[in-house]
Structure formats: structure tokens, C-alpha cells
Amino acid sequence: MSVSSEDLFGQILGLGEDWEVHQTEYVEEKNTIFIRVRETASLLSSQRCREDKRYKVKLYDHAPSRFWRHLNVFNRECVIECALPRLQCKHCGKVWRAKAPWEGKCKGLSSEFEAFALTLMKEMPVKSAGKILGENDHRLWRVLRAYVEEAKEALDFESVTRVGSDELSYRKGHKYLTVFADMKEKRVLFATKGKGKDTWEAFSDELLKRNGHPHAITHAAIDMSPSYQSGVRNNCRNARIVFDRFHVMKLIGDRVDEVRQAENRRGTTDAKKQLKKTMWLWRKNPENLTEPQRMHFDRIDHDCLWTSKAYQMRLALRNIYNQVPYESWARRRLQSWCHWVRKTAAKAPHLFASPMLRAAESIEKHQDGILAFWGSGRMTTAYLEGLNSVFSAVKRKARGFRNPDNLITMLYFVAGKIDILKNKQATH
Ligand SMILES: [Zn+2]
């Protein structure tokens, strides 16, 4: 038994009874296979009025031909062409356009094509997926946005009680997104432009929209920016602010870096010599140094460097986090840490004293939020820390993303734990 190419394509497309391929054509100059589809008589008997299922329909007319990019066949672009019928209710006279089974969520794309595009985008940057598919990335972003927006409708924030937020800088010149994450479920919940206190208002609105509540938030892990603090206080009145371990350590790390830079400029000749090419040695933790870095670090004459002193203080603070199990104990250790810093700074030159005194002041001023780390049962911050690698992955995949909304879409796609393709099957 021989099968015509029309029948074959009809089967591949999964057209069923209501549609048939009536012509296929390879257009060489476009390197494209056109699959021309039309409705069969059974479409009219299988459809009912959209207002009242009891009433039958008749053919009203055909809309102008439309085209849907489909999956390639034998490495040729493949396009479905169809003049979709418009149906009319025999009873009420209403007219509507029939929906075809291959239609995707985006104009001009079949749902199979969209599913394949999503699979590629999961694995690689949007631009690379565009090259493989021979589509411009505008169109692929549109596909991604359509699916993410639909999947977001299924999100439920009812059990969200512990959140962390962090800023993601996406363009030089201080362009930021604030990203909110569920610390228990380890997923991105929401992201919005800016890094002011109004980002918390937007987040609260989102919680309410998705079956959650801002007053249900018990812990909010944030960095020490005053705007986030007032954002939490104004919106989540039951939340204890937790100054995240990761952000506290980053703040101290930045002060150590300031000491290094100042000593590199204004320190003794010997100190400047010692500090050459050492930036990363101080930024890393000792166990993360590579073998050559460790050897370099051991050769440094630490007694002659204020930078070493500051670094030692950073490690001491880190030890408090690593070793101390209770809040009351942590309070004493933090106080004695600040005392040590102040005593040392009193005898130290400005290049050390200025940054490190500021560090001690920050610790004292934010003591309650810092201690909340212990009070919250050492609220796990690994996820917030990990969020930074998520951000890098998102930026890499979204390279040339054109606008921040695309970046937010990619955040959901990568880290929102939304099941896009499952959602797709559920709607077909
Ligand atoms: Zn009707």
C-alpha cells in the first residue's frame, strides 16, 4: 500500500479527523516545505456553538491564509499554511474563527515548534537557540514570555513564610532587579525592577495575587540597605529581618578590600611590594586558594601588612558563623569582635582604621538582624548565595536580552520551578 505525502504529513502533524493535508510543496528558493491544510466535513459536525453547546454550526467563510512555522523536515524549514474556516452558529448567528490543533501560543508558530524552541532554550542561550532554529531572538523571547506567563498563573504562594531578597545588577550604570526567593522551597518567587523599598510593595502585591500573604512572612533575609529594611517593615509586619550571613561577610570582605587598596596606594614601600598581584588571595577563603595561590600567600610577610590584620578579622568573623551554635553566645562573640577591631584601629593608621571602624559600626548597628541568623535556626542562606550563580547563568542565557522583562522571564524559567512543558500538555 502506498501512502501519499499528503497523508504522511497529515499523520505526522497529528491532524485527526477534522483536518487534512491537501497539498505539499517544496519551494526551492525559500528552501521551505509548505504543508497546505484545510478542514474536512467532520469539523462542522464536531463543533458546537461557543455560547450554547446544544447548537450546531455551519461554515461562514474562510479567513485569509495564515502561516505557522513548524519543525524542520529533512533539514528544510517547514510551514503549515491554512485558511482557517470561520464558523457560524445555526441558532444565534454568532461567528468565530475555528481553532486549529497545531496553533502555538505565538502568532506564526506551531505548538510543536514552540516546544522544541523551549527545549533548546533550557539548554543554551536564547541567541544560540535562535541560530539553530533560524529564527530571530525577538520571536523566541516572545515564545518564552508566553509560556512563562501562563505557567505563572498556576503558582501558589500559600506556604511562603521565609523569603530572601537580593539585587541583581543587569547593566553597567546601576540598573538593578530585586529578586525574591523562597528560602524553604529554594525557588525564585518574583523579580521586579529597581532596588528601593517599593520593590517590597510589589512583592506583597504578588503574594496576595498568588494566594499568599505579606503578614505570613516570618523571616526576611536581606542585605543591610536601609530601603530594603523599611520595605520589610512597611509591608511584612510579622517578619523578623535577618541580615543574611552571606551579605554580612560580603560587607566585611569589601572593607578588607578597601584596606588593601589604600595600603597599596599609601602604605610603606615594603607593603606595596608585598601586595602586588594579591587581590584574589584576600577575597577568597583559605581553603579555596589554588596551590600556587596558597604558596604565594605563605610567602607574604604578614607582620608588615595592615591588610593581613583586616583579613584576619574577616576570618575571625567567619569563625563565629561557623562555630557558634546559640544566639546569646553569638552576641558575646560579636561584641568582643567589635571591641578587638576598635582597639586595633585606635593604634592603626587611617588606611586601616577608617574602613575597619566602619565595619565594626555596621555590625553594632545591625546587631539584631545579624543575630537573627541564629534566632531563625541558622536560616539557611546557601540558597541566597547560590542565587548569584543563578544570576550569572541567567545573564549568560539571556545575553542581549533587550529589556529587563526578558531577564525576569529567564529568571522564572531557570529558577522559578515552573513546569512549562507539563503546563503545555495540560492545555492541549
Ligand atoms: Zn449559538
Side-chain angles (χ1 to χ4, degrees):
M1 188 182 90
S2 74
V3 178
S4 72
S5 69
E6 281 74 22
D7 287 346
L8 185 62
F9 275 111
Q11 281 169 24
I12 291 173
L13 288 174
L15 291 181
E17 296 286 296
D18 295 346
W19 305 86
E20 66 183 5
V21 175
H22 67 94
Q23 194 190 37
T24 56
E25 185 190 359
Y26 174 57
V27 179
E28 198 170 358
E29 60 270 29
K30 290 181 177 165
N31 195 31
T32 299
I33 299 165
F34 285 87
I35 305 175
R36 301 200 170 95
V37 177
R38 65 186 172 203
E39 79 279 8
T40 64
S42 80
L43 179 76
L44 293 178
S45 51
S46 73
Q47 300 290 304
R48 287 291 181 274
C49 174
R50 296 207 299 189
E51 306 286 320
D52 188 331
K53 298 283 174 227
R54 285 176 302 174
Y55 299 113
K56 292 186 173 175
V57 303
K58 62 181 182 192
L59 183 67
Y60 181 77
D61 65 359
H62 284 93
S65 271
R66 282 172 59 181
F67 301 87
W68 292 265
R69 170 88 195 269
H70 192 60
L71 295 175
N72 287 9
V73 175
F74 304 127
N75 258 338
R76 268 104 181 125
E77 276 195 22
C78 185
V79 170
I80 300 170
E81 180 181 352
C82 181
L84 289 169
R86 300 206 297 162
L87 309 174
Q88 184 173 37
C89 173
K90 283 180 175 172
H91 177 77
C92 68
K94 283 218 169 73
V95 176
W96 65 94
R97 181 175 74 64
K99 186 153 170 45
W102 61 84
E103 284 185 89
K105 292 190 201 306
C106 292
K107 200 177 168 196
L109 299 176
S110 77
S111 62
E112 301 254 347
F113 182 87
E114 290 176 349
F116 183 55
L118 289 168
T119 309
L120 289 181
M121 284 189 272
K122 199 97 194 163
E123 303 299 325
M124 62 183 73
V126 174
K127 280 209 163 151
S128 314
K131 278 197 189 117
I132 289 177
L133 295 164
E135 281 291 342
N136 74 39
D137 59 323
H138 269 303
R139 215 167 188 199
L140 296 189
W141 278 113
R142 215 148 43 77
V143 171
L144 193 58
R145 272 204 311 274
Y147 281 83
V148 166
E149 285 308 314
E150 192 185 273
K152 270 168 69 181
E153 291 308 311
L155 289 176
D156 186 341
F157 292 170
E158 193 187 357
S159 62
V160 174
T161 57
R162 290 177 170 227
V163 298
S165 81
D166 205 358
E167 65 198 36
L168 159 62
S169 103
Y170 64 86
R171 204 156 278 166
K172 286 192 185 120
H174 307 289
K175 295 278 194 188
Y176 293 95
L177 298 180
T178 297
V179 180
F180 295 83
D182 185 334
M183 306 298 276
K184 278 189 299 190
E185 299 291 327
K186 299 182 173 35
R187 59 170 172 166
V188 166
L189 298 170
F190 180 64
T192 184
K193 278 170 256 186
K195 55 169 187 170
K197 62 179 179 199
D198 50 333
T199 58
W200 277 84
E201 268 156 48
F203 175 58
S204 298
D205 290 345
E206 181 77 4
L207 281 170
L208 289 169
K209 203 166 115 189
R210 307 214 182 279
N211 202 26
H213 204 289
H215 295 167
I217 304 301
T218 57
H219 295 85
I222 53 174
D223 67 23
M224 293 176 199
S225 78
S227 53
Y228 282 165
Q229 291 176 56
S230 61
V232 174
R233 289 203 186 94
N234 293 344
N235 294 285
C236 306
R237 64 181 182 204
N238 301 319
R240 185 173 183 190
I241 290 176
V242 183
F243 291 125
D244 176 73
R245 168 187 177 158
F246 167 66
H247 286 121
V248 174
M249 289 313 300
K250 186 172 175 304
L251 179 130
I252 301 303
D254 288 349
R255 296 296 94 82
V256 175
D257 215 44
E258 279 175 41
V259 173
R260 180 191 60 80
Q261 287 177 38
E263 190 165 37
N264 205 17
R265 279 196 307 270
R266 306 198 302 272
T268 62
T269 316
D270 186 34
K272 288 180 190 171
K273 210 175 97 192
Q274 298 282 335
L275 285 173
K276 259 192 194 130
K277 296 184 177 168
T278 61
M279 181 177 81
W280 285 103
L281 304 184
W282 313 105
R283 287 188 183 178
K284 281 182 162 185
N285 286 322
E287 69 275 15
N288 296 332
L289 294 176
T290 64
E291 190 56 23
Q293 284 175 328
R294 197 187 55 75
M295 282 160 66
H296 184 178
F297 195 77
D298 287 345
R299 280 200 308 276
I300 293 171
D301 178 6
H302 291 281
D303 290 338
C304 81
L305 285 179
W306 285 105
T307 305
S308 292
K309 198 72 187 166
Y311 174 76
Q312 198 188 341
M313 288 167 169
R314 173 165 87 74
L315 292 191
L317 190 68
R318 180 172 175 253
N319 279 341
I320 299 177
Y321 275 112
N322 284 343
Q323 295 165 356
V324 176
Y326 311 115
E327 184 169 346
S328 57
W329 187 356
R331 184 188 307 273
R332 285 199 303 279
R333 288 280 302 268
L334 280 179
Q335 281 164 352
S336 70
W337 185 88
C338 290
H339 182 70
W340 174 40
V341 172
R342 287 184 180 286
K343 225 176 81 186
T344 311
K347 296 174 290 185
H350 184 73
L351 67 86
F352 174 89
S354 166
M356 293 313 285
L357 279 177
R358 270 193 291 132
E361 272 163 28
S362 307
I363 299 283
E364 281 161 356
K365 190 174 156 205
H366 298 103
Q367 188 177 249
D368 186 65
I370 293 172
L371 290 170
F373 169 74
W374 284 270
S376 64
R378 301 177 69 90
M379 183 156 163
T380 172
T381 53
Y383 185 62
L384 265 193
E385 230 175 308
L387 213 47
N388 274 282
S389 60
V390 169
F391 290 170
S392 325
V394 164
K395 285 200 262 189
R396 203 163 49 241
K397 283 169 74 67
R399 197 158 35 90
F401 53 86
R402 297 173 191 269
N403 68 61
D405 289 330
N406 284 342
L407 201 59
I408 292 174
T409 300
M410 186 55 85
L411 263 170
Y412 277 105
F413 189 46
V414 169
K417 294 197 176 171
I418 52 175
D419 200 340
I420 280 179
L421 292 176
K422 186 179 135 214
N423 201 289
K424 175 189 171 290
Q425 277 156 11
T427 58
H428 280 267

